[in-house]
Amino acid sequence: MSTMASKERLYEVWMLYYTKRDPDYLKLWLEIFIGAYERCLDVDFEKPPSRPEELPPVLTLLPDNILQVLRHQLLQCVQKASDGLEPEQQNLALLLLKFLIIICRNLSNVEEIGTCSYINHIITMTTLYIQQLKSKTKEKEMADQSQAEEFVRHALTFCESLYDPYRNWRHRTCGEQLGTVERNRQKYKAAPLTVEFVPFFYQCFQESEHLKESLKCCLLHLFGAIVAGDQKNAVLAISPATMEVLMRVLADCSMGSCPSDEGEDWDSEAPDRKALLTLGCLREVVQRLLASSSDQRQVEIASVLENYFKLLNSDPAAVVAARQQQQQQQQQQQQQQQAKGRVPTLGRHWESRFVALQVHMLDTIRDMFLCSDRPVLQAIFLNSNCFEHLTRLLQNSKVSRHTHTHTHTHTHTCPPPLYQYDTTLVI
């Protein structure tokens, strides 16, 4: 259908809805609109940001009362969500969400959409869906969770559209460095961050053993997008609660535990995707805190670094021993654990993954210094006893080199991957 034909059809269907107030016509109108701008959805956080071939219309070109109608429909979905939505209502809620994502791809609409109540309604529904996806029950195993997952992914993309309209975070994760000049050229501002975000983000990671790893990655992508998208929103999002989540995720990754049946190759020697995303978030956190004033910050950089270095210098042997003891206890309670879900296990290459994570953590420190106020950050690192931490890391590091011609092991006090940081970590 051509653009002109779709516009005429949209007008025709809207007039039918307006005169008859039949919700089926509203659903049809949304389906036609979404079909015309489907490429604007772009819900995969892992893909590079794309520019829409045709921008969605500004709000003034849409039917006069469209926002009020959609807000009313969304509120009805929220009110019924706690008791469980019927499939038709779930479909309508997803259509409403897709419409909002598309509209926000015209950046001139972001401010108005962000100041409406849509975001709080969406977060309420997303919280209910995530609680459902986190549970481990027979009902969940038998039920089709695809609609719930699809809604959550689109909800997180909608939040990204509001809080990182220029996709700064996606550019960063694709290896593009956006400088101050590029950011200053960004005409439209991100929407003000809702106060619901921090408790929402924190709750999503509580008792989340059965939440898919891919959804956790989406949540981390969203946090990174909020921090990268706007300075004011960043200092609101960077709180003790969100820092606790990031450090806990990183600590879990450092232990190489496998909490779910999904996706990740736990016999791989590389750190998992959550670890790399968390490190990217922490890089953005430090740089945003550095650009903020002391009266704005809820968390100090020194506090972030203290927990960061503590994790960097974790004792692998002690962690392994603790995990083995935990596994023994879990084996003794095998029947109960089977009822709750899969027992976390250690991959065969756990130690290699741990060392690889340490190297990535060191790389992240270097990336933190790609900022405009490097001398101040240098002073903060020095006051955080960074050299003592790095020296201890070198002293505790070992590498075993096996060759085909020798059966014995050569042990060095410093692993080759760490040599480079004598020159690249210029603090």
Side-chain angles (χ1 to χ4, degrees), residues 255-258 266-267 345-351 353:
M255 291 193 295
S257 59
C258 178
W266 291 96
D267 281 336
T345 59
L346 295 175
R348 289 179 300 169
H349 302 294
W350 176 87
E351 243 180 328
R353 289 168 67 92

Side-chain angles (χ1 to χ4, degrees), residues 292-304:
S292 65
S293 59
S294 58
D295 60 323
Q296 294 175 320
R297 294 192 290 267
Q298 303 177 65
V299 177
E300 294 297 330
I301 295 177
S303 173
V304 176

Side-chain angles (χ1 to χ4, degrees), residues 398-414:
K398 292 183 179 181
V399 63
S400 296
R401 178 166 55 85
H402 299 276
T403 66
H404 295 292
T405 56
H406 299 283
T407 57
H408 61 281
T409 300
H410 300 277
T411 303
H412 305 274
T413 57
C414 177

Side-chain angles (χ1 to χ4, degrees), residues 109-369:
N109 296 329
V110 167
E111 183 178 3
E112 184 169 353
I113 296 296
T115 54
C116 295
S117 57
Y118 295 115
I119 182 60
N120 292 334
H121 293 331
I122 295 296
I123 285 181
T124 299
M125 288 191 66
T126 307
T127 301
L128 291 171
Y129 277 126
I130 286 183
Q131 290 298 328
Q132 175 183 324
L133 293 169
K134 286 198 297 186
S135 66
K136 185 68 175 179
T137 62
K138 290 183 179 179
E139 290 79 6
K140 176 189 171 183
E141 291 174 355
M142 295 178 64
D144 181 10
Q145 300 296 318
S146 58
Q147 273 194 308
E149 288 182 24
E150 188 177 10
F151 184 91
V152 170
R153 293 180 193 278
H154 281 81
L156 300 181
T157 302
F158 172 55
C159 293
E160 179 204 28
S161 300
L162 290 180
Y163 302 130
D164 188 16
Y166 286 94
R167 309 289 176 93
N168 292 336
W169 170 256
R170 290 205 198 191
H171 284 291
R172 288 298 300 269
T173 56
C174 293
E176 299 178 37
Q177 180 70 31
L178 290 178
T180 306
V181 175
E182 289 87 348
R183 288 181 185 248
N184 290 338
R185 287 175 180 167
Q186 295 176 351
K187 178 180 177 182
Y188 297 103
K189 300 296 183 183
L193 184 67
T194 174
V195 295
E196 301 292 335
F197 172 74
V198 170
F200 163 74
F201 184 75
Y202 183 82
Q203 286 299 324
C204 285
F205 284 91
Q206 301 306 300
E207 300 178 354
S208 60
E209 295 83 1
H210 303 297
L211 185 65
K212 278 190 173 182
E213 298 296 290
S214 58
L215 291 179
K216 292 179 184 177
C217 286
C218 289
L219 286 161
L220 292 169
H221 271 298
L222 175 58
F223 182 84
I226 291 172
V227 176
D230 179 76
Q231 177 67 27
K232 290 182 179 179
N233 286 343
V235 294
L236 293 174
I238 301 168
S239 69
T242 54
M243 290 303 96
E244 178 187 328
V245 169
L246 294 186
M247 289 302 177
R248 192 189 320 129
V249 169
L250 201 56
D252 289 344
C253 293
S254 74
M255 291 193 295
S257 59
C258 178
S260 75
D261 296 315
E262 187 202 358
E264 290 281 358
D265 179 7
W266 291 96
D267 281 336
S268 167
E269 297 187 19
D272 77 344
R273 184 61 177 154
K274 292 200 312 296
L276 300 181
L277 289 174
T278 304
L279 290 175
C281 289
L282 290 171
R283 175 200 65 221
E284 296 290 329
V285 162
V286 168
Q287 292 179 347
R288 286 300 196 182
L289 290 177
L290 187 65
S292 65
S293 59
S294 58
D295 60 323
Q296 294 175 320
R297 294 192 290 267
Q298 303 177 65
V299 177
E300 294 297 330
I301 295 177
S303 173
V304 176
L305 294 181
E306 179 183 357
N307 292 320
Y308 194 86
F309 281 123
K310 187 183 298 182
L311 183 57
L312 181 63
N313 271 308
S314 299
D315 182 0
V319 175
V320 170
R323 295 297 296 172
Q324 289 175 342
Q325 183 178 3
Q326 181 184 5
Q327 285 180 311
Q328 289 174 357
Q329 293 172 350
Q330 289 169 340
Q331 287 171 359
Q332 293 171 359
Q333 302 171 351
Q334 188 173 7
Q335 291 181 346
Q336 293 92 330
Q337 288 294 337
Q338 285 177 345
K340 293 180 181 179
R342 179 176 174 178
V343 176
T345 59
L346 295 175
R348 289 179 300 169
H349 302 294
W350 176 87
E351 243 180 328
S352 298
R353 289 168 67 92
F354 184 84
V355 172
L357 177 60
Q358 287 179 312
V359 172
H360 280 288
M361 291 180 74
L362 291 168
D363 277 330
T364 301
I365 293 175
R366 182 180 57 194
D367 293 342
M368 289 175 183
F369 282 93

